[in-house]
Amino acid sequence: MAEFHRKIRLKEYFFENEYEQDDSLVRNKSSFQPPKGRNSALDQFISTNIEFPSSTLSTSRKANISLKERKCIENLKNDPSIIIKEADKGGGVVIMNKEYYERKMLDMLNDKAFYQTTDNDCSKTTFKRIKALIKENKDITRHEFNYLLEFEWKSSSFYGLPKIHKSKLIKEQCQKTTTNVLELKDPSDLKFRPIVAGPVCETHRLSNLIDILLKPFIKNVKSYIRDDIDFLSHLPRKIDKNAMLVSFDVTNLYTNISHSLGLEAIEYWLNKYPNLIHKRFSKSFILEGIKTILENNNFKFDEKYYNQIKGTAMGTKCAPTYATLVLGYLEEKLYAKMSDTNEELANFIQEEWKRFLDDCFIIWTRSDDELTQFYQTLNNLHKDINFTIEKHKNKLPFLDVMIIKKNDTLSTDIFYKETDSKQYLNFTSCHPSHTKRSIPYNLARRICTIVSESEVRETRLKELTALLICRGYPKQLIQNGIENASKIPRHELLTAKPKEETDIITYVSTYNPKNPEAFGIIKNNIPILMNDDTMRNALKETNFIKSKRQPPNLKRLLTKANFTSTTLSERHTFRVTKCGRNNCSLCQHIIESDSYNFKRKKFFVNSNMSCDVQNVLYVITCNGCGEFYIGQTGGKLRTRRTIHAQQIRDPSTRMIPLSAHLDECCHTEPKFQMFPFFKMSNDSTSARLNKENYFIKCFKPKLNALHA
């Protein structure tokens, strides 16, 4: 929030009374750039930093992996016979036969109770539905409207994460081997967690807004626990010596919540706590928004399109909050049902029953018959929601905690699944040094938080030391981390600290030891701004920090959500095509092809693109001389064409020499053609500008040289 208000102060200054203030819950990323000439101190600060020489840091550093290793990664990535996925839990990496993986996925998708095939044109219907929903809510802000509708989307992909921790065959093999590598061909009992990866699908932004609107209701779910620390704070030290430790797990929670149950549950919470509904959003907006998300969970697998007709997608933003409230609603019914037959038991359950999503825990101090009654009642709450039970008199794992009962005393230890890889970051990995230095401390702090007995804690810390030494960490660094973590009293570790609101400006860059580090230069130039009264007021009480974005790691290089059974050579090539709309201003200008000839090199496009494409690099070809220009845009290509055409027509609007050249060189219409040749994988402006500079250096376009 502090960051938000700082941006408001800056924009108010630069736009004076033109800036529109509102309480938008969501908004698109700002592309705001301070106009030149408004403030001399800011102009000086920007020019000083731009002049920072990129050659100040030597680029003679060796790559962190050898050429042979790079080729191995490339071969693994392109091997048509295998699929590589991260394990559902434990951090392991699973390499599977492609045919085996495909068969397992199709087994799930062929279940007509949950999925049905569809066509790939349903996106238009989805957006129409979202637009109609927004128009019904008169209080929605302009920023919220743009956020929900003005973005570049793409279809979700379906994939499965192997649940190796639930496979008996794999666990048996883990007990027999002492190595980090386990080989077991096509285990028959391996199940998968279905994931619909839709970080930029049609409904993902609506899902984010709904999640924000629903979160305040979670605090009224009696059983809700936030995390391990919250759970530990609820555990008593002393209990009845005859008590039993009992845990419950909901079978496939996300996929088994029917739409009718979900909407019924959310309506219950909205009716019970109407004061928690945001003042600008109605109950009907929230319910219809959830319905839109649930009924439009569209995705593809192997170039075939599906719709999930039951359950919610594990991958949509609001899913955890939605599932928590649905089970919370069933728990309310549980308390009422138990009260009808045994009010004392109902009160006991309300007090002791704790839950994190689908994982439930209770210390049972009543009779076995009552436990059986309770378990049966749980499984009769709804026909689709089934609970499994695990109980033990002495010890039982829950989340990452092993709860141990000895007579009338409870203690806790850290719990690792048998399939946990414990593959902590290797010290020789190419990461910022502060990241690697913090790992021993943070791992030791986790042990000190969870493990209650001092002797056990010392054992776990020694085990951690041995593991980290094997990962290349210096012994002294490990000991320093353990000592610093051990100094913090456990009661302090178990106390959740509220986040402090601080005014922060973050300088974010992708980590690469070959790149020059500009943050020190930028921070040293801050006094230029602080010497100006206006800028000093806009930036008062602001901290400047740096942050490193992780470059693609092995996981990102080797795993991908999209699946296709065809090999690279069998796939259709990507193409640029006209959108074909009657009123499209770009169709007559766009070149339809799969490649562009940059005179020296033929360059093939990396994605299917049309007039609506955003976040792209493009080529403009002069229809007079045939020379070309390389540009970039974060908005729609059609809009960029309109801007170029306007600047050609009206000399007073021209920003670059290209406009004058196109006007003078070609005396017929159209004066130029456009071709989008490279689609960016993210919406980072700096990444797009860097890629534009890269291609300009590679292909040396003459029309770009006009700017020099």
Side-chain angles (χ1 to χ4, degrees):
M1 187 58 75
E3 172 80 355
F4 173 66
H5 288 304
R6 179 186 55 75
K7 288 178 180 176
I8 286 180
R9 291 203 307 270
L10 288 170
K11 289 190 176 184
E12 280 180 331
Y13 166 63
F14 285 109
F15 288 115
E16 295 177 339
N17 296 326
E18 301 170 26
Y19 182 66
E20 172 193 348
Q21 289 192 42
D22 59 50
D23 61 344
S24 299
L25 296 179
V26 289
R27 60 178 67 210
N28 283 322
K29 284 184 179 179
S30 173
S31 57
F32 168 69
Q33 295 289 336
K36 196 171 182 180
R38 184 66 67 90
N39 183 279
S40 59
L42 183 61
D43 290 344
Q44 183 186 352
F45 176 76
I46 292 171
S47 62
T48 303
N49 287 315
I50 287 175
E51 291 166 6
F52 168 61
S54 60
S55 58
T56 56
L57 184 66
S58 171
T59 57
S60 60
R61 289 175 179 248
K62 290 183 179 180
N64 64 314
I65 59 174
S66 66
L67 180 60
K68 186 177 180 181
E69 287 170 326
R70 287 180 187 276
K71 287 181 178 178
C72 286
I73 292 171
E74 200 63 29
N75 289 339
L76 278 172
K77 184 179 176 181
N78 297 323
D79 191 328
S81 65
I82 62 172
I83 286 289
I84 302 175
K85 292 291 178 188
E86 184 181 22
D88 179 46
K89 292 180 181 176
V93 176
V94 185
I95 303 175
M96 295 166 282
N97 291 323
K98 191 172 185 178
E99 291 180 359
Y100 169 79
Y101 174 78
E102 182 181 9
R103 187 170 69 251
K104 288 285 189 177
M105 294 301 100
L106 291 176
D107 284 346
M108 285 193 280
L109 292 173
N110 289 333
D111 189 337
K112 303 301 182 186
F114 295 93
Y115 306 102
Q116 65 181 12
T117 56
T118 184
D119 57 55
N120 61 352
D121 293 328
C122 46
S123 57
K124 292 180 182 177
T125 307
T126 304
F127 275 114
K128 282 182 182 177
R129 189 166 171 179
I130 295 173
K131 198 166 188 177
L133 172 66
I134 293 170
K135 285 185 175 179
E136 287 177 10
N137 190 342
K138 304 298 183 185
D139 292 327
I140 200 162
T141 69
R142 177 175 59 86
H143 290 298
E144 289 164 343
F145 183 92
N146 291 338
Y147 175 84
L148 295 172
L149 290 174
E150 296 297 320
F151 65 95
E152 188 179 20
W153 63 273
K154 65 179 180 180
S155 298
S156 302
S157 294
F158 180 88
Y159 68 94
L161 295 179
K163 296 182 177 182
I164 60 174
H165 62 287
K166 292 198 173 180
S167 165
K168 288 184 179 179
L169 294 172
I170 292 175
K171 286 196 280 189
E172 286 171 3
Q173 286 294 109
C174 285
Q175 292 167 0
K176 294 176 184 177
T177 185
T178 56
T179 66
N180 290 328
V181 179
L182 174 68
E183 187 173 350
L184 184 63
K185 187 177 179 181
D186 302 350
S188 58
D189 67 340
L190 180 60
K191 291 181 169 34
F192 289 77
R193 186 181 299 279
I195 308 288
V196 177
V200 286
C201 72
E202 305 96 313
T203 60
H204 88 282
R205 292 195 168 189
L206 176 61
S207 182
N208 185 38
L209 175 60
I210 294 297
D211 188 54
I212 293 170
L213 295 173
L214 290 181
K215 265 192 165 62
F217 293 87
I218 288 181
K219 65 183 181 182
N220 293 300
V221 177
K222 298 182 181 72
S223 65
Y224 173 72
I225 55 172
R226 187 181 60 254
D227 51 26
D228 283 342
I229 295 176
D230 193 21
F231 172 66
L232 289 167
S233 68
H234 285 91
L235 279 181
R237 178 69 175 167
K238 293 287 185 179
I239 61 170
D240 188 308
K241 65 179 181 179
N242 296 315
M244 184 175 291
L245 308 174
V246 187
S247 69
F248 300 83
D249 181 61
V250 184
T251 305
N252 298 328
L253 172 62
Y254 282 36
T255 49
N256 281 314
I257 300 175
S258 64
H259 295 176
S260 58
L261 170 62
L263 292 167
E264 179 185 325
I266 300 303
E267 187 170 14
Y268 166 83
W269 292 109
L270 297 176
N271 289 335
K272 189 170 184 179
Y273 301 101
N275 59 306
L276 295 179
I277 301 174
H278 192 278
K279 61 184 179 180
R280 288 193 296 100
F281 293 91
S282 65
K283 169 185 161 183
S284 61
F285 176 89
I286 295 173
L287 291 173
E288 187 58 35
I290 293 170
K291 193 175 180 184
T292 301
I293 294 163
L294 295 174
E295 293 179 355
N296 292 275
N297 181 22
N298 308 308
F299 57 87
K300 65 178 181 177
F301 179 79
D302 196 16
E303 303 307 319
K304 292 180 182 176
Y305 288 82
Y306 298 83
N307 173 261
Q308 186 171 346
I309 58 177
K310 182 180 178 181
T312 184
M314 180 170 285
T316 191
K317 180 70 174 177
C318 69
T321 304
Y322 169 77
T324 297
L325 291 173
V326 171
L327 279 187
Y329 165 65
L330 291 179
E331 287 166 352
E332 292 290 315
K333 295 177 75 173
L334 168 73
Y335 305 145
K337 189 177 287 190
M338 297 293 293
S339 293
D340 290 341
T341 56
N342 190 333
E343 189 171 351
E344 187 182 346
L345 177 59
N347 292 334
F348 167 76
I349 291 166
Q350 282 195 59
E351 185 68 28
E352 302 297 332
W353 174 259
K354 301 301 173 189
R355 177 173 57 82
F356 177 80
L357 281 176
D358 57 351
D359 293 313
C360 318
F361 180 84
I362 190 168
I363 299 172
W364 195 262
T365 56
R366 303 181 70 88
S367 70
D368 290 348
D369 289 341
E370 285 178 316
L371 178 58
T372 301
Q373 176 195 350
F374 171 55
Y375 183 42
Q376 290 172 346
T377 306
L378 266 180
N379 278 317
N380 288 326
L381 289 173
H382 193 276
K383 61 183 178 64
D384 294 326
I385 306 299
N386 296 307
F387 291 79
T388 59
I389 186 171
E390 188 176 352
K391 54 188 178 179
H392 204 283
K393 287 198 170 185
N394 298 321
K395 64 178 185 177
L396 192 70
F398 182 74
L399 302 180
D400 293 334
V401 181
M402 177 64 78
I403 303 103
I404 302 163
K405 173 179 159 285
K406 193 171 183 179
N407 295 322
D408 62 348
T409 304
L410 276 189
S411 63
T412 54
D413 192 3
I414 198 160
F415 171 69
Y416 302 102
K417 288 182 170 60
E418 293 167 298
T419 53
D420 195 308
S421 65
K422 298 188 180 70
Q423 293 293 301
Y424 304 128
L425 181 70
N426 196 295
F427 195 72
T428 59
S429 293
C430 189
H431 283 69
S433 59
H434 71 269
T435 300
K436 292 184 281 191
R437 288 198 308 270
S438 67
I439 285 175
Y441 167 75
N442 285 310
L443 290 174
R445 183 184 172 116
R446 181 166 170 262
I447 289 172
C448 292
T449 303
I450 294 176
V451 183
S452 59
E453 301 300 315
S454 57
E455 288 184 13
V456 180
R457 192 183 309 131
E458 288 301 314
T459 301
R460 298 292 173 257
L461 291 172
K462 286 177 183 177
E463 292 170 353
L464 175 65
T465 301
L467 280 168
L468 291 178
I469 287 174
C470 289
R471 305 298 290 168
Y473 286 78
K475 192 169 183 179
Q476 189 58 52
L477 177 65
I478 301 169
Q479 291 305 318
N480 290 342
I482 290 174
E483 285 175 15
N484 290 333
S486 301
K487 287 177 184 176
I488 307 172
R490 189 163 181 262
H491 69 84
E492 190 176 320
L493 292 172
L494 291 171
T495 305
K497 293 182 179 178
K499 289 184 178 179
E500 295 182 7
E501 284 196 0
T502 55
D503 216 344
I504 293 172
I505 292 180
T506 310
Y507 170 73
V508 184
S509 60
T510 301
Y511 178 70
N512 187 334
K514 289 188 173 185
N515 291 343
E517 181 54 79
F519 178 72
I521 303 296
I522 292 171
K523 198 163 184 181
N524 288 338
N525 288 329
I526 295 297
I528 297 173
L529 297 175
M530 294 306 179
N531 287 332
D532 179 84
D533 291 340
T534 305
M535 293 305 302
R536 184 168 59 252
N537 181 57
L539 297 172
K540 63 183 177 183
E541 299 177 2
T542 300
N543 291 325
F544 296 86
I545 64 172
K546 71 173 177 179
S547 177
K548 290 298 180 182
R549 185 189 301 110
Q550 186 182 30
N553 57 10
L554 280 175
K555 175 188 168 183
R556 286 168 60 189
L557 289 170
L558 296 176
T559 65
K560 52 183 178 288
N562 189 36
F563 174 88
T564 177
S565 57
T566 57
T567 61
L568 199 61
S569 59
E570 294 172 327
R571 291 175 207 165
H572 298 295
T573 55
F574 295 121
R575 284 188 64 81
V576 173
T577 56
K578 297 178 181 180
C579 70
R581 294 181 183 175
N582 293 333
N583 61 347
C584 180
S585 60
L586 179 56
C587 276
Q588 65 169 325
H589 294 268
I590 202 166
I591 300 170
E592 291 190 295
S593 179
D594 63 351
S595 61
Y596 187 87
N597 194 340
F598 284 101
K599 296 186 178 179
R600 297 179 181 179
K601 182 179 179 181
K602 193 173 188 179
F603 190 92
F604 289 89
V605 298
N606 67 336
S607 177
N608 287 322
M609 292 180 272
S610 185
C611 307
D612 293 320
V613 69
Q614 295 175 247
N615 200 31
V616 70
L617 305 184
Y618 62 88
V619 182
I620 283 182
T621 306
C622 175
N623 285 342
C625 63
E627 292 295 340
F628 64 93
Y629 166 90
I630 292 177
Q632 59 81 26
T633 180
K636 291 183 178 180
L637 188 64
R638 183 188 294 112
T639 305
R640 179 63 83 185
R641 186 222 69 88
T642 302
I643 293 170
H644 280 297
Q646 166 68 19
Q647 293 182 4
I648 292 170
R649 263 192 325 271
D650 184 358
S652 67
T653 63
R654 290 175 184 170
M655 305 288 289
I656 54 176
L658 170 71
S659 307
H661 172 87
L662 294 175
D663 186 28
E664 296 165 5
C665 187
C666 187
H667 303 291
T668 60
E669 290 291 342
K671 292 181 179 290
F672 65 92
Q673 291 177 296
M674 293 185 80
F675 183 77
F677 69 95
F678 190 87
K679 178 78 175 68
M680 298 295 294
S681 59
N682 59 60
D683 59 0
S684 166
T685 302
S686 60
R688 196 170 58 249
L689 290 170
N690 287 337
K691 189 64 75 172
E692 179 192 32
N693 288 332
Y694 168 79
F695 281 116
I696 289 171
K697 287 179 182 178
C698 281
F699 300 127
K700 298 180 172 55
K702 286 188 177 180
L703 297 185
N704 286 85
L706 296 173
H707 299 219

